[in-house]
């Protein structure tokens, strides 16, 4: 029997639920931690950023309008998809991060657990970040967290799956849509998670994954007026990106909080606004 | 500027038989070739200063349109404000070419556009189907004219055209042109219902022979509206008509054009087909409502280097 040829996958962008090559037609080679060729990935352009933001804007209102329970269920479904492909994810994490197979599998498992943890927050975040306020009159007064809209995420450079889950899922839980700039040198797990999102009942456009040069894409995403929140965990120069985002009043999370319950709650809080409603007290 | 000579070289059509002879002499359209040519030209994309100028030109060519049953005077007033000053934050943005409304709202538009260069266009002649008797159509035109319309957009009777009653279609356009007086007449061919490119070419010539100042693709009320190949056929028709008669007829592309990118492609198409002389609001128009928003967004992005937010441009 003859030796099999390698079947090498070219990883594409995830924009509006479709797996597309960059509008520019460019690609770049991704190397593993050992320096050996790992895969080809699309090298997104500023127009891909624009398209992704447009897709996210279109998808976000319907997602936010779902019941919190349903959002939690959909995110749990994403965890199911990740679990089913945990071996593939582990393999890619091992090759990208240069850790041994056991450590990579453990990292992926922690990431999936974290996804489940965030899914559970969907119908609880309102109680924790919102509340009933005492007012001097015959009214109920409630503060309710509402999503900011479209959140741009500069994914962590090193932690290609586990760290990504925190940055990607936290804004989704509260009803935002996300545009992720994947880790420049370790983009594969992010694209895989994007593929999974397409089979996990997340509507097209809610999760958009762009791969490419961060110094090219970061400023475009940060300055985009329709981006309402920015997670700069993986940015090499967060202050510069935050400055670009300032003119359109974008919410900015400068550095990723630790992957602890407190850190997770900080992430959930980063991309919600608070709206206050009044209601008369019944007789 | 395009020199507009007298109409003397336009062949006089005295009978339906003569009209048939003229139209039958037109060569058929190579559908595959037209599609390929339109697709090839669509790959050209103006950049930087050229793009900035093209966007301004496209804005100046827009017939800002609202043709809904739910139109109100307030809505038209808002549209007029946008027409005069499309980008509220930037006075260098040119006004659009015209406002296009139903006849009953012409007076409203006229009042709100007083003192501005923006013209008032009105659809008439039983828009959008065109299925009414000639006296009704003429009354429709007269009403729009009386209310102050500068331009009349008429629809042809597609039923008559497709069943071969070319003389009837011709007579109607001639009658409407007469009723228009000094107002510009745009003849809507509704290319989506004409089935073939050959029909589009024949209908274009028929309308031009009958005295149209513009030929226009669509009402925007049927599934298929302006497409690049159809625009190419119509632009060829106005070019050929100008060559053989000296009479310059404009083209209005309407229906389904929503993005600035599409509009710029049509500008390329017009420039390469009819010639750069057609690149002005007097001879090329876009009939659209949402297109203007995208043109303004692109214009902002072009100037600031930052992708703009849709909500920052007035909806209408």
């Amino acid at each position: 029997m003859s030796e099999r040829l390698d079947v090498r996958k070219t990883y594409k962008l995830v924009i509006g639920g479709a797996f597309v090559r960059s509008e520019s037609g460019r690609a770049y080679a991704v190397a593993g931690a050992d320096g050996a060729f790992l895969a080809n990935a699309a090298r997104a352009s500023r127009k891909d950023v624009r398209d992704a933001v447009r897709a996210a804007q279109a998808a976000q209102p319907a997602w936010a309008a779902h019941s919190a329970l349903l959002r939690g269920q959909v995110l749990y479904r994403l965890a199911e998809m990740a679990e089913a492909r945990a071996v593939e994810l582990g393999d890619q994490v091992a090759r990208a991060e240069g850790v041994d197979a056991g450590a990579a599998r453990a990292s992926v498992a922690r990431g999936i657990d974290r996804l489940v943890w965030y899914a559970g927050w969907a119908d609880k975040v309102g109680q924790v970040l919102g509340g009933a306020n005492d007012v001097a009159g015959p009214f109920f007064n409630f503060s309710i967290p509402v999503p900011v809209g479209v959140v741009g995420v500069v994914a962590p450079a090193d932690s290609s799956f586990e760290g990504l889950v925190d940055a990607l899922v936290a804004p989704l839980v509260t009803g935002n849509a996300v545009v992720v700039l994947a880790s420049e040198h370790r983009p594969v797990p992010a694209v895989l998670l994007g593929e999974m999102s397409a089979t996990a009942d997340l509507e097209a456009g809610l999760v958009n994954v762009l791969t490419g040069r961060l110094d090219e894409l970061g400023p475009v995403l940060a300055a985009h007026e329709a981006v309402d929140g920015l997670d700069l965990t993986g940015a090499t120069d967060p202050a510069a990106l935050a400055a670009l985002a300032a003119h359109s009043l974008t919410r900015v999370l400068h550095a990723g909080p630790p992957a602890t319950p407190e850190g997770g709650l900080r992430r959930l809080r980063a991309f919600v606004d608070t709206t206050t409603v009044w209601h008369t007290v019944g007789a | 500027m395009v020199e507009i000579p007298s109409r003397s070289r336009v062949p006089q059509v005295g009978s339906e038989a003569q009209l048939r002879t003229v139209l039958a002499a037109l060569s058929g359209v190579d559908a595959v070739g037209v599609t390929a040519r339109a697709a090839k030209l669509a790959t050209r994309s103006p950049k930087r200063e050229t793009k900035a100028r093209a966007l301004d030109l496209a804005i100046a060519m827009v017939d800002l349109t609202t043709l809904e049953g739910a139109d109100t005077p307030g809505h038209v007033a808002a549209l007029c404000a946008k027409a005069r000053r499309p980008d509220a934050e930037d006075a260098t943005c040119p006004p659009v070419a015209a406002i296009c409304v139903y006849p009953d709202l012409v007076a409203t538009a006229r009042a709100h556009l007083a003192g501005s260069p923006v013209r008032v266009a009105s659809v008439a002649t039983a828009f959008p189907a065109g299925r009414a008797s000639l006296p009704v159509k003429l009354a429709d035109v007269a009403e729009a004219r009386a209310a102050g319309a500068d331009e009349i957009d008429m629809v042809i009777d597609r039923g008559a055209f497709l069943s071969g009653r070319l003389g009837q279609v011709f007579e109607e356009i001639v009658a409407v042109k007469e009723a228009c007086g000094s107002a510009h007449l745009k003849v809507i061919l509704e290319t989506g219902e004409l089935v073939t490119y050959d029909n589009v070419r024949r209908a274009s010539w028929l309308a031009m022979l009958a005295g149209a100042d513009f030929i226009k693709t669509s009402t925007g009320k049927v599934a298929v509206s302006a497409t690049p190949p159809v625009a190419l056929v119509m632009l060829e028709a106005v070019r050929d008509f100008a060559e053989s008669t000296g009479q310059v007829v404009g083209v209005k592309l309407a229906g389904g054009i929503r993005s600035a990118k599409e509009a710029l492609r049509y500008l390329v198409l017009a420039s390469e087909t009819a010639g750069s002389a057609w690149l002005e609001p007097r001879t090329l128009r876009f009939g659209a409502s949402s297109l203007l928003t995208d043109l303004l967004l692109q214009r902002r992005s072009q100037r600031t280097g930052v992708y703009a937010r849709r909500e920052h441009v007035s909806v209408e």
Side-chain angles (χ1 to χ4, degrees):
Chain A
M1 177 160 165
S2 61
E3 198 181 326
R4 283 198 70 213
L5 291 172
D6 287 344
V7 180
R8 281 181 177 160
K9 181 168 173 179
T10 296
Y11 290 87
K12 298 194 192 169
L13 310 173
V14 184
I15 298 177
F19 307 112
V20 293
R21 293 187 169 81
S22 168
E23 163 276 337
S24 64
R26 300 175 304 181
Y28 71 113
V30 177
D34 54 5
F37 175 80
L38 190 60
N40 285 312
R43 191 178 148 200
S45 68
R46 52 184 286 131
K47 286 189 179 175
D48 293 313
V49 174
R50 175 199 63 187
D51 293 347
V53 172
R54 191 174 287 166
Q57 261 189 308
Q60 190 266 335
W63 172 242
H66 286 323
S67 71
L69 179 68
L70 181 62
R71 283 203 303 273
Q73 287 174 322
V74 170
L75 290 172
Y76 188 83
R77 175 94 177 139
L78 181 60
E80 290 178 4
M81 292 297 160
E83 184 70 24
R85 290 173 71 175
V87 174
E88 183 186 7
L89 280 167
D91 183 40
Q92 289 297 340
V93 168
R95 292 168 74 180
E97 297 181 15
V99 294
D100 67 48
R105 271 204 296 276
S107 169
V108 168
R110 282 196 300 276
I112 295 172
D113 289 351
R114 204 123 177 89
L115 219 172
V116 173
W117 183 82
Y118 274 116
W121 265 106
D123 57 358
K124 299 169 188 70
V125 74
Q127 290 94 303
V128 176
L129 300 184
N133 310 313
D134 282 327
V135 288
F139 301 102
F140 291 123
N141 179 281
F142 304 104
S143 290
I144 300 165
V146 292
V148 293
V150 175
V151 175
V153 172
V154 182
D158 303 324
S159 185
S160 59
F161 179 74
E162 197 184 339
L164 172 74
V165 165
D166 264 301
L168 172 79
V169 181
L172 277 178
V173 176
T174 49
N176 299 290
V178 289
V179 176
V180 179
L181 302 185
S183 166
E184 183 170 328
H185 300 293
R186 300 171 178 177
V188 175
V191 180
L192 290 179
L193 196 61
E195 288 179 2
M196 292 168 201
S197 74
T199 51
D201 301 335
L202 283 155
E203 285 96 341
L206 276 181
V207 175
N208 303 279
V209 181
L210 303 175
T211 56
R213 304 270 181 265
L214 283 186
D215 54 4
E216 179 187 358
L217 304 176
V220 180
L221 182 68
H224 199 309
E225 289 181 356
V227 172
D228 306 289
L230 209 53
D231 180 338
L232 298 176
T233 305
T236 44
D237 188 358
L241 293 183
L244 287 173
H247 85 285
S248 56
L249 304 181
T250 306
R251 293 289 195 90
V252 176
L253 184 67
H254 278 269
T260 59
E262 293 75 26
L265 193 57
R266 265 183 62 200
R267 283 190 182 277
L268 289 171
R269 187 188 287 133
F271 301 117
V272 291
D273 284 329
T274 298
T275 187
T276 299
V277 290
W278 295 73
H279 197 285
T280 48
V281 176
Chain B
M1 291 291 273
V2 184
E3 280 302 309
I4 299 187
S6 73
R7 278 198 163 269
S8 56
R9 283 161 64 200
V10 179
Q12 290 300 306
V13 178
S15 68
E16 182 161 348
Q18 203 185 343
L19 178 64
R20 281 180 194 288
T21 315
V22 175
L23 296 187
L26 297 173
S27 59
V29 178
D30 167 10
V32 174
V34 162
T35 312
R37 173 83 177 143
K40 177 119 195 299
L41 289 175
T43 61
R44 287 198 204 163
S45 170
K47 303 286 184 210
R48 296 188 184 86
E49 300 82 28
T50 322
K51 184 176 181 185
R53 286 183 55 196
L55 288 171
D56 276 6
L57 183 59
I59 290 170
M61 286 175 173
V62 166
D63 279 8
L64 196 55
T65 304
T66 183
L67 297 171
E68 302 298 333
D71 285 346
T72 59
H75 180 64
V76 170
L79 212 59
C80 290
K82 186 168 183 177
R84 300 171 78 132
R85 177 123 176 217
D87 190 334
E89 295 173 14
D90 186 355
T92 64
C93 181
V96 303
I99 282 279
C100 184
V101 292
Y102 275 118
D104 61 322
L105 289 164
V106 167
T108 310
R110 185 81 272 166
H112 285 96
L113 290 173
S116 86
V118 180
R119 295 162 70 92
V120 179
S122 175
V123 295
T125 72
F127 181 92
R131 303 202 85 117
S133 66
L134 186 57
V136 173
K137 290 179 178 178
L138 294 179
D140 207 8
V141 174
E143 192 199 330
R145 279 290 289 148
D150 307 304
E151 303 176 355
I152 298 291
D153 289 26
M154 74 168 285
V155 285
I156 63 165
D157 185 337
R158 280 86 73 191
F161 182 86
L162 291 171
S163 46
R165 302 197 301 277
L166 302 180
Q168 182 189 335
V169 180
F170 186 88
E171 296 297 332
E172 278 192 6
I173 300 173
V174 170
V176 171
K177 171 73 184 168
E178 204 177 303
C180 280
S182 61
H184 269 230
L185 175 63
K186 306 195 198 105
V187 178
I188 305 173
L189 309 178
E190 196 64 295
T191 53
E193 292 184 346
L194 292 184
V195 189
T196 66
Y197 294 132
D198 286 356
N199 278 346
V200 173
R201 180 171 282 177
R202 283 192 208 104
S204 300
W205 274 82
L206 184 151
M208 291 187 289
L209 287 168
D213 297 302
F214 266 86
I215 50 176
K216 172 174 167 183
T217 55
S218 324
T219 58
K221 301 287 184 193
V222 301
V224 183
S225 292
T227 65
V230 158
L232 182 59
V233 172
M234 289 169 64
L235 287 160
E236 283 176 352
V238 295
R239 175 198 64 197
D240 295 346
F241 192 76
E243 271 174 18
S244 69
T245 67
Q247 180 67 32
V248 173
V249 175
V251 175
K252 177 169 168 181
L253 305 157
I257 306 172
R258 294 199 175 80
S259 72
K261 180 178 263 183
E262 289 170 85
L264 297 193
R265 283 175 179 167
Y266 282 115
L267 288 183
V268 171
L269 208 57
S271 172
E272 290 296 322
T273 309
S276 54
W278 260 263
L279 294 184
E280 59 166 302
R282 205 159 53 119
T283 40
L284 194 64
R285 294 281 181 88
F286 294 108
S289 42
S290 58
L291 169 65
L292 181 59
T293 302
D294 198 48
L295 286 168
L296 294 173
L297 284 173
Q298 294 302 320
R299 191 174 183 277
R300 280 176 160 231
S301 300
Q302 201 70 21
R303 296 167 87 85
T304 60
V306 169
Y307 285 124
R309 189 185 185 95
R310 190 162 280 269
E311 290 86 341
H312 289 177
V313 173
S314 67
V315 182
E316 256 159 9

